[in-house]
Amino acid sequence: MATTAQLFEEPFDADEYIERLAWRTPGGGSKGGAEGFDPKKLLEEFENHIEELKQLDERIQRKVEKLEQQCHREAKEFAHKVQELQRSNQVAFQHFQELDDHISYVATKVCHLGDQLEGVNTPRQRAVEAQRLMTYFNEFLDGELRSDVFNNPEKIKEAADIIQKLHLIAQELPFDRFADVKAKIASKYHDLERQLIQEFTAAQRRGEIGRMREVAAVLLHFKGYAHCIDVYIKQCQEGAYMQKDVFEDTALLCQQVNKQVGEVFSSPETVMAKLIQNIFENKLQAHVKEKLDTRPTELEQYLTNLYDLYTRTTALAAKLTEFNLGSDKHTFLSKLIKSIFSTYLDSYIDMEQQYLQTRSASILQRYYDSKNHQKRPLGTGSIQELKERIRQRTNLPLGPSIDTHGETFLSQEVVVNLLQETRHAFQRCNKLSDPADLPKNAYSIFLLLVEHLCVDHIDYALEIGLSAIPSADAKNANLYFLDVVQQANTIFHLFDKQFNDHLMPLISSSPKLTECLQKKKEVIEQMEVKLDTGIDRTINCMIGQMKQILTTEQKKTDFRPEDENNVMIQYTTASSKVCAYVSKQVERVRRSMDGKNVDTVLTELGVRFHRLVHEHLQQFSYNYMGGMLAICDVAEYRRCAKDFRVPLVLHLLDTLHALCNLLVVAPDNLKQVCSGEQLTNLDRNLLHAFVQLRADYRSARLGRHFS
């Protein structure tokens, strides 16, 4: 059976179990071993083994039944024990409730007894205290203070408690009968109060925090407690302002005192608030008056001082909010600041406007003086408005042309100075203006900037620039207006940046935003009108210069050479000089402008350039070689037009180049050329006009192709 038990070891596998059993049986293996396979032996072994397994099963079953009986028996015993424990627990719980009720009963009795004892003891203590006070009161009646408490300096705390109570009692007594004793008690009251304050002062000088706390606690019930705080505040400031910076000294002093007042006084927030109020109303106010009441001769220094003092005061107040100053410390500090600066802030914006007006005018005048220029008064009224309308509609110069010798009368240095002054003004305005008045004040500063920068400087320069533009038929004209455009464009970018960076944050949430944007729009539109007028007249002047070159350099014989076989030039001198002039002007336009304005101006210049060349070519008669030379000239113009980088201009000159082919094409091919891709959409009258320029027009009867 031991062998059988071994065969049942985990994990159990029936097939493996049979295989191992067969392997253990002699002659029972698959090969039978040395004896060979014997099925009878294997069967016999299997039958014996089955019997053994049955016996083993019976023994195990009996053992299981025995264990189950034992388990049931022990379960019953355990259940019985649990029931016994439950009954014991119920008994204990009942005893506990009885004990708790008894304890509550005893506690109630004890409390009742305590109340009775207190009811008896309190009147007794009051009676004892009254008797004691009457004893001391009798001493004041007799006029002789015999008690040790009034004569021993070490018992000043006890004496103060007694005299404070006697002082309250004396106030209730009739004056006519107890005038003398009331006076004596009051005298002793004030004497002790004075001694306590002196003791507090001495302890503060010695740095004895514990003694200061004791004396302050005694003085708390005296009328002189407030005086004690005043003395403490005064002594705190002794030697505290040794540096030149009153703001740094104040911050350092408040940090030091804040650590101490909590250890000395029962209400430190009141003491700190009183200290800060004292500093603001005395030290800071005196400092501000010294700096501002003796106003400097220059408004700039006054405004700088006001801004600096107000900024540093508000920064100091922000630091002081770290301390406990009561429930509404922000309002408290704001009132203190207002009490110091209200007078100066009320007149601030008037001072700011006066300074900006004077300073801006001075900057501009200094610039014009450096140029030895006497500023011309710009016309006003209906006559000037009429001239302006005529100039805008007709593009004619009104009045004599002014020679500015290349001076634009625009200075970036002047602009930077004006913008810097205005930026400082916006900063001061943001800090010094009442929140309700901030948008209005900022708008007034903006109007001054518009007046001096946009009107007195930029607009004036544009007017001078317009007056300096020569007429279209002037010879060797110098065109400086594009330089004015370039500088005005740069300046206005700076103006726009300041508008967005410094003005917008001050007015973004107020109705003044609309007014500012409208004013800015008006200024831009006025400048754009004058810029457009000046650019248009400048382009006319450019075209006039080109026309002079063509008139001077182009000869009629250029396009009808006598010896057609001896023409060696590739293009005429006139076209070469015009192209050189055009390239120079295109480069000037690109330098003077930016963005889409470049393309717009170059498009207009290119269209007028094409018109000029087109009209110029129609003034001549062409033989074959002259026509070839005209084609070469137009090719040169077309090459020059590539500098414009404008598709329309290139297209126009491509078309003109195709038209010039009509000057040289064989008569029989004219119709075919006219119906080509580039010429098919043109007016036939235009094509006919070009063909009429041919020298052989009549002899070759070319007109029949257009009849």
Side-chain angles (χ1 to χ4, degrees):
M1 294 308 298
T3 302
T4 304
Q6 292 176 0
L7 292 174
F8 280 103
E9 292 178 354
E10 293 290 340
F12 179 74
D13 186 351
D15 293 338
E16 185 181 357
Y17 178 78
I18 298 298
E19 193 66 36
R20 291 173 65 185
L21 181 61
W23 180 76
R24 288 169 177 264
T25 305
S30 59
K31 296 183 179 180
E35 300 177 1
F37 179 68
D38 188 349
K40 290 183 179 180
K41 285 186 179 181
L42 184 59
L43 177 60
E44 184 181 353
E45 181 63 27
F46 278 174
E47 290 174 349
N48 292 336
H49 196 72
I50 288 171
E51 288 298 325
E52 290 177 0
L53 288 175
K54 287 180 179 179
Q55 293 175 10
L56 179 61
D57 181 61
E58 289 175 0
R59 284 197 296 274
I60 291 173
Q61 189 64 33
R62 285 196 296 272
K63 189 174 182 179
V64 169
E65 291 174 356
K66 184 178 179 181
L67 289 173
E68 286 179 347
Q69 290 175 0
Q70 184 180 353
C71 182
H72 286 308
R73 186 170 59 254
E74 290 180 356
K76 288 180 180 180
E77 292 176 357
F78 181 75
H80 180 70
K81 287 182 180 180
V82 170
Q83 290 176 355
E84 289 293 331
L85 289 172
Q86 286 180 341
R87 284 194 292 271
S88 299
N89 185 55
Q90 287 179 351
V91 172
F93 184 72
Q94 289 175 357
H95 290 168
F96 177 77
Q97 282 187 326
E98 292 175 359
L99 181 60
D100 186 57
D101 293 341
H102 187 64
I103 290 173
S104 299
Y105 175 75
V106 172
T108 303
K109 289 291 185 181
V110 169
C111 290
H112 180 65
L113 181 60
D115 292 339
Q116 289 180 332
L117 290 174
E118 185 178 1
V120 172
N121 188 51
T122 301
R124 179 180 175 278
Q125 286 181 341
R126 290 176 179 171
V128 171
E129 180 68 17
Q131 183 183 10
R132 188 168 68 94
L133 291 174
M134 289 173 65
T135 302
Y136 295 130
F137 188 80
N138 285 333
E139 292 184 12
F140 280 97
L141 281 173
D142 296 340
E144 183 180 357
L145 300 179
R146 298 178 298 275
S147 298
D148 182 57
V149 70
F150 293 121
N151 299 309
N152 189 349
E154 295 181 358
K155 295 184 178 182
I156 189 172
K157 181 178 178 181
E158 184 180 352
D161 180 60
I162 294 170
I163 201 66
Q164 194 266 338
K165 292 176 180 178
L166 288 176
H167 186 260
L168 291 175
I169 294 171
Q171 290 178 346
E172 302 296 329
L173 298 176
F175 182 80
D176 53 349
R177 292 178 55 192
F178 297 96
D180 186 48
V181 70
K182 289 179 73 171
K184 292 178 181 178
I185 291 174
S187 175
K188 188 63 176 177
Y189 178 90
H190 293 303
D191 184 51
L192 279 175
E193 187 179 66
R194 180 180 51 78
Q195 291 180 38
L196 287 169
I197 292 175
Q198 290 176 351
E199 177 63 23
F200 181 88
T201 304
Q204 184 178 1
R205 287 175 178 165
R206 294 192 301 267
E208 297 178 358
I209 302 298
R211 183 58 179 163
M212 291 170 64
R213 181 171 56 249
E214 292 177 6
V215 177
V218 174
L219 278 169
L220 181 62
H221 304 291
F222 279 75
K223 294 180 179 179
Y225 181 67
H227 183 59
C228 172
I229 295 176
D230 292 339
V231 170
Y232 173 76
I233 290 173
K234 182 180 179 181
Q235 283 203 175
C236 285
Q237 297 180 60
E238 290 180 359
Y241 292 90
M242 302 299 291
Q243 304 177 17
K244 293 184 178 180
D245 194 335
V246 66
F247 297 98
E248 290 294 332
D249 288 340
T250 298
L252 183 61
L253 171 63
C254 290
Q255 287 178 351
Q256 294 172 349
V257 173
N258 185 61
K259 297 176 182 178
Q260 192 179 78
V261 290
E263 301 176 5
V264 175
F265 298 98
S266 58
S267 55
E269 68 279 0
T270 304
V271 180
M272 277 301 297
K274 199 167 185 180
L275 169 66
I276 291 172
Q277 183 177 358
N278 182 274
I279 293 172
F280 270 73
E281 292 177 351
N282 293 284
K283 291 289 183 183
L284 291 184
Q285 191 158 20
H287 180 68
V288 169
K289 281 186 176 181
E290 180 185 356
K291 292 285 187 180
L292 298 180
D293 281 3
T294 55
R295 293 185 178 178
T297 54
E298 294 187 1
L299 273 175
E300 180 182 13
Q301 188 61 47
Y302 169 78
L303 291 170
T304 302
N305 289 344
L306 176 59
Y307 175 76
D308 180 63
L309 290 169
Y310 188 82
T311 301
R312 300 198 67 188
T313 304
T314 53
L316 174 63
K319 289 182 181 179
L320 298 180
T321 56
E322 300 173 2
F323 308 131
N324 183 10
L325 305 177
S327 58
D328 199 2
K329 53 188 173 184
H330 294 284
T331 304
F332 169 70
L333 291 169
S334 297
K335 288 181 178 179
L336 291 179
I337 295 173
K338 189 175 181 181
S339 67
I340 297 176
F341 289 97
S342 59
T343 305
Y344 309 105
L345 296 182
D346 289 343
S347 60
Y348 154 70
I349 193 61
D350 296 331
M351 297 290 184
E352 188 71 79
Q353 290 174 335
Q354 181 183 348
Y355 167 70
L356 272 181
Q357 186 78 31
T358 306
R359 177 64 176 161
S360 300
S362 172
I363 291 172
L364 290 172
Q365 189 59 48
R366 188 165 63 246
Y367 167 71
Y368 294 123
D369 290 345
S370 70
K371 299 294 181 181
N372 293 322
H373 174 73
Q374 182 65 37
K375 195 172 181 183
R376 300 172 61 214
L378 299 178
T380 58
S382 58
I383 296 178
Q384 178 65 20
E385 292 175 2
L386 178 60
K387 286 183 177 181
E388 186 65 26
R389 288 200 196 98
I390 294 173
R391 184 170 63 188
Q392 291 176 14
R393 295 186 180 184
T394 64
N395 203 18
L396 295 174
L398 301 178
S401 176
I402 299 174
D403 187 2
T404 61
H405 304 288
E407 179 60 57
T408 63
F409 291 103
L410 286 174
S411 168
Q412 195 160 345
E413 181 183 356
V414 168
V415 173
V416 169
N417 288 337
L418 290 174
L419 291 176
Q420 186 175 10
E421 292 293 345
T422 311
R423 178 169 59 85
H424 291 159
F426 281 137
Q427 290 176 345
R428 291 191 290 264
C429 178
N430 186 30
K431 197 72 178 178
L432 302 176
S433 295
D434 186 89
D437 297 331
L438 177 58
K440 178 184 68 176
N441 293 346
Y443 180 65
S444 66
I445 293 173
F446 172 68
L447 291 180
L448 288 173
L449 176 63
V450 169
E451 176 187 347
H452 292 98
L453 176 62
C454 299
V455 177
D456 292 348
H457 193 54
I458 303 177
D459 192 69
Y460 177 75
L462 291 177
E463 286 287 346
I464 295 296
L466 286 171
S467 301
I469 298 175
S471 61
D473 56 354
K475 294 183 178 180
N476 300 320
N478 292 318
L479 305 177
Y480 295 115
F481 191 78
L482 289 180
D483 297 331
V484 177
V485 173
Q486 179 185 7
Q487 292 189 34
N489 190 36
T490 302
I491 291 170
F492 198 79
H493 281 314
L494 296 175
F495 169 77
D496 191 54
K497 186 176 188 305
Q498 182 163 100
F499 182 90
N500 294 325
D501 293 348
H502 296 96
L503 177 61
M504 284 293 288
L506 307 183
I507 61 171
S508 57
S509 57
S510 76
K512 286 294 179 182
L513 174 61
T514 305
E515 294 184 42
C516 287
L517 292 174
Q518 182 62 31
K519 186 65 178 178
K520 180 185 172 186
K521 181 182 177 183
E522 291 175 2
V523 170
I524 294 174
E525 289 176 349
Q526 290 172 5
M527 290 186 182
E528 285 181 344
V529 168
K530 292 182 180 180
L531 287 170
D532 290 345
T533 302
I535 291 170
D536 190 66
R537 288 173 55 190
T538 300
I539 292 175
N540 278 346
C541 220
M542 292 177 183
I543 298 300
Q545 297 298 303
M546 297 180 208
K547 191 172 183 179
Q548 285 186 23
I549 295 172
L550 291 173
T551 303
T552 305
E553 301 293 335
Q554 197 84 72
K555 300 177 181 177
K556 290 188 177 182
T557 57
D558 287 347
F559 300 115
R560 292 192 68 174
E562 296 179 359
D563 186 1
E564 294 191 32
N565 297 322
N566 198 24
V567 177
M568 304 299 294
I569 60 174
Q570 296 180 348
Y571 44 79
T572 65
T573 304
S575 67
S576 175
K577 289 187 176 181
V578 166
C579 287
Y581 180 81
V582 169
S583 297
K584 182 179 177 182
Q585 301 310 316
V586 169
E587 185 60 30
R588 288 191 66 184
V589 170
R590 291 196 182 279
R591 284 200 312 268
S592 303
M593 301 177 194
D594 56 7
K596 295 181 179 179
N597 293 330
V598 176
D599 292 338
T600 303
V601 173
L602 289 181
T603 299
E604 184 63 27
L605 176 61
V607 169
R608 296 189 193 183
F609 171 53
H610 163 266
R611 186 185 305 125
L612 172 68
V613 173
H614 186 278
E615 293 173 354
H616 174 71
L617 291 174
Q618 288 185 319
Q619 298 175 8
F620 300 94
S621 176
Y622 302 86
N623 58 21
Y624 179 78
M625 286 308 299
M628 293 299 294
L629 197 57
I631 291 174
C632 292
D633 278 1
V634 173
E636 188 68 11
Y637 295 140
R638 186 172 59 175
R639 182 192 60 77
C640 175
K642 291 180 180 179
D643 295 340
F644 285 76
R645 302 173 197 167
V646 178
L648 174 62
V649 177
L650 284 174
H651 173 71
L652 291 174
L653 286 168
D654 284 343
T655 304
L656 183 60
H657 187 271
L659 280 171
C660 288
N661 287 330
L662 298 177
L663 302 175
V664 297
V665 70
D668 295 337
N669 295 332
L670 267 176
K671 195 168 186 180
Q672 180 182 355
V673 172
C674 289
S675 60
E677 181 180 353
Q678 289 183 315
L679 302 179
T680 185
N681 295 323
L682 295 182
D683 186 5
R684 291 186 64 82
N685 293 329
L686 176 61
L687 299 176
H688 191 193
F690 249 82
V691 173
Q692 286 178 328
L693 301 177
R694 291 172 59 131
D696 61 350
Y697 174 76
R698 294 186 181 279
S699 61
R701 298 177 62 197
L702 299 180
R704 57 190 173 83
H705 295 285
F706 297 93
S707 59

